[in-house]
């Protein structure tokens, strides 16, 4: 692989402390970060480090189970929920990410996709409690984005109402596998973790474990190729002290803001250079995805109105087409299983942001 060209960029840190009394100040900071960077982190968000650590421990307990047990809750493209392994291909790489994930939802999409307490004691209760905590933080950010765009305060909250049956919001538990160190350059094999991509959702909230680096951003859309090749990247290493949540704008909010807010390319780098992290890596991505019935159109009406279901379907189709084109060029081909995995809402142009 070509050595990475790195550039230090300042990633805005936005405090949510005293939210009600500082909402105008926080809104201004979020709008500025969204217009100019597309990535930011939030601190003083109210979710304790102990709560986050407990969720990571629960995720590790799930992923440590035998594949035969995890396969009892297989990924469903129709519901965008369940467990998958080595199944997600990015158009930027044309190869499967070396990881496994377990996608969770709040409602009907999880029917039959929770393991029993006998297999994984208290996991469901722990996961749902954590997801509700993150949803609460997300809704604070949604109020600010609504104000910034001139919508009513509850505009985005209603469009992402997790109590409704057509909710699509997803929490994705991720486990990236350890890779050989140093990499065997004689084979030319690259252990992709998550190729360069944008997320398709409104906003992604990402939790990382300290010491497990790899997330990198290429801001703005000011990139020289479709998926960020040849551009300068910035490392976003986890910081245990600040308990920060990394956030990035998705394609949906970019469209919903009439391109005012910027969806940003990011990746989890394939380890290959001195200083890269080769060990196993855990992260949790919370994708704020609109209800299927939500009506999506920016204040300036730059784009025709679509529903959340239509936006999702088009993103899936666009991504799968790009995957096919990439694999045809590289001659790698797609198995039936991978084809199915890439029709879901998690791949490159789709959410999953799976960092």
């Amino acid at each position: 692989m070509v050595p990475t060209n790195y550039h230090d960029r300042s990633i805005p840190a936005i405090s949510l402390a005293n939210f009600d009394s500082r909402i105008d100040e926080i809104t201004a900071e979020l709008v500025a970060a969204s217009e100019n960077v597309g990535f930011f982190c939030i601190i003083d968000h109210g979710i304790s480090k102990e709560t986050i650590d407990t969720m990571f421990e629960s995720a590790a307990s799930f992923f440590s189970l035998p594949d035969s047990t995890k396969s009892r809750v297989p990924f469903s493209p129709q519901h965008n929920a369940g467990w998958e392994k080595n199944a997600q291909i990015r158009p930027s790489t044309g190869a499967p990410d070396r990881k496994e994930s377990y996608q969770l939802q709040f409602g009907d999409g999880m029917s039959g996709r929770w393991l029993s307490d006998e297999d994984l004691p208290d996991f469901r209760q722990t996961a749902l409690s954590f997801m509700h905590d993150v949803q609460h933080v997300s809704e604070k950010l949604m109020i600010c984005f609504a104000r910034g765009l001139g919508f009513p305060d509850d505009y985005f909250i209603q469009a992402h109402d997790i109590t409704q049956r057509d909710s699509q919001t997803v929490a994705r538990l991720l486990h990236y596998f350890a890779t050989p160190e140093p990499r065997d350059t004689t084979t030319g094999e690259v252990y992709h973790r998550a190729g360069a991509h944008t997320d398709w959702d409104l906003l992604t909230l990402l939790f990382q474990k300290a010491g497990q680096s790899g997330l990198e951003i290429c801001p703005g859309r000011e990139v020289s190729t479709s998926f960020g090749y040849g551009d300068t990247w910035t490392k976003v290493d986890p910081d245990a002290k600040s308990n920060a949540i990394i956030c990035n704008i998705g394609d949906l909010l970019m469209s919903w803001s009439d391109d005012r807010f910027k969806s940003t390319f990011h990746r989890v780098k394939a380890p290959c250079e001195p200083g890269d992290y080769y060990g196993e890596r855990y992260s949790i991505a919370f994708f704020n995805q609109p209800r299927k019935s939500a009506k999506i159109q920016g204040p300036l009406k730059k784009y025709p109105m679509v529903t959340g279901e239509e936006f999702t379907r088009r993103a899936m189709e666009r991504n799968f087409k790009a995957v096919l084109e990439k694999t045809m060029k590289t001659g790698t081909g797609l198995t039936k299983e991978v084809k199915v995995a890439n029709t879901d809402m998690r791949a490159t142009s789709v959410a999953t942001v799976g960092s």
Side-chain angles (χ1 to χ4, degrees), residues 248-261:
N248 68 274
I249 304 301
D251 291 347
L252 178 64
L253 184 52
M254 185 168 175
S255 174
W256 220 330
S257 67
D258 301 308
D259 294 337
R260 180 179 169 189
F261 300 155

Side-chain angles (χ1 to χ4, degrees), residues 77-118:
Q78 179 182 358
H79 298 95
N80 198 30
W83 172 73
E84 58 82 21
K85 181 179 180 180
N86 293 332
Q88 185 176 10
I89 291 181
R90 311 277 183 179
S92 57
T93 64
D97 292 345
R98 299 295 183 92
K99 69 176 189 301
E100 59 182 329
S101 70
Y102 186 25
Q103 296 207 169
L104 310 175
Q105 292 193 16
F106 289 94
D108 294 348
M110 286 301 292
S111 178
R113 292 178 182 83
W114 293 104
L115 287 176
S116 69
D117 275 351
E118 293 182 1

Side-chain angles (χ1 to χ4, degrees), residues 142-342:
M142 288 180 191
I143 292 172
C144 295
F145 284 124
R147 288 191 173 197
L149 293 172
F151 291 126
D153 281 4
D154 66 348
Y155 180 79
F156 287 125
I157 294 176
Q158 293 299 320
H160 297 77
D161 187 349
I162 60 171
T163 69
Q164 300 302 309
R165 297 191 65 176
D166 65 343
S167 167
Q168 298 185 104
T169 288
V170 165
R172 190 181 197 196
L173 312 182
L174 290 139
H175 176 215
Y176 297 87
F177 306 121
T179 62
E181 182 184 1
R183 186 170 62 89
D184 184 359
T185 58
T186 61
T187 66
E189 185 172 7
V190 178
Y191 294 86
H192 292 290
R193 289 193 154 176
H197 63 284
T198 61
D199 298 337
W200 78 266
D201 62 339
L202 185 91
L203 180 72
T204 303
L205 280 68
L206 179 70
F207 299 81
Q208 302 186 90
K209 284 184 69 66
Q212 298 180 1
S213 60
L215 178 63
E216 300 179 352
I217 65 170
C218 184
R221 293 281 187 165
E222 297 176 355
V223 291
S224 62
T225 67
S226 297
F227 293 99
Y229 282 144
D231 296 288
T232 58
W233 292 85
T234 297
K235 296 181 179 182
V236 187
D237 291 335
D239 180 3
K241 294 181 180 179
S242 67
N243 199 33
I245 303 173
I246 299 297
C247 303
N248 68 274
I249 304 301
D251 291 347
L252 178 64
L253 184 52
M254 185 168 175
S255 174
W256 220 330
S257 67
D258 301 308
D259 294 337
R260 180 179 169 189
F261 300 155
K262 308 304 180 185
S263 178
T264 305
F265 281 103
H266 54 285
R267 68 181 184 182
V268 180
K269 184 185 178 183
C272 61
E273 297 179 88
D276 287 349
Y277 176 70
Y278 287 79
E280 64 178 345
R281 181 180 185 272
Y282 293 89
S283 64
I284 302 170
F286 189 87
F287 302 113
N288 288 283
Q289 301 179 179
R291 294 171 52 200
K292 292 181 179 180
S293 59
K295 295 180 179 179
I296 298 164
Q297 190 173 44
L300 303 180
K301 298 180 171 56
K302 181 176 180 178
Y303 301 108
M305 180 178 290
V306 295
T307 64
E309 186 172 26
E310 290 170 327
F311 190 93
T312 298
R313 186 185 69 250
R314 293 177 186 180
M316 293 190 310
E317 292 171 350
R318 184 171 61 250
N319 180 78
F320 189 50
K321 179 181 178 182
V323 169
L324 286 176
E325 291 175 350
K326 178 69 174 183
T327 55
M328 288 178 66
K329 288 180 181 178
T330 60
T332 55
L334 290 178
T335 66
K336 180 179 179 181
E337 290 76 13
V338 171
K339 284 183 180 180
V340 170
N342 277 280

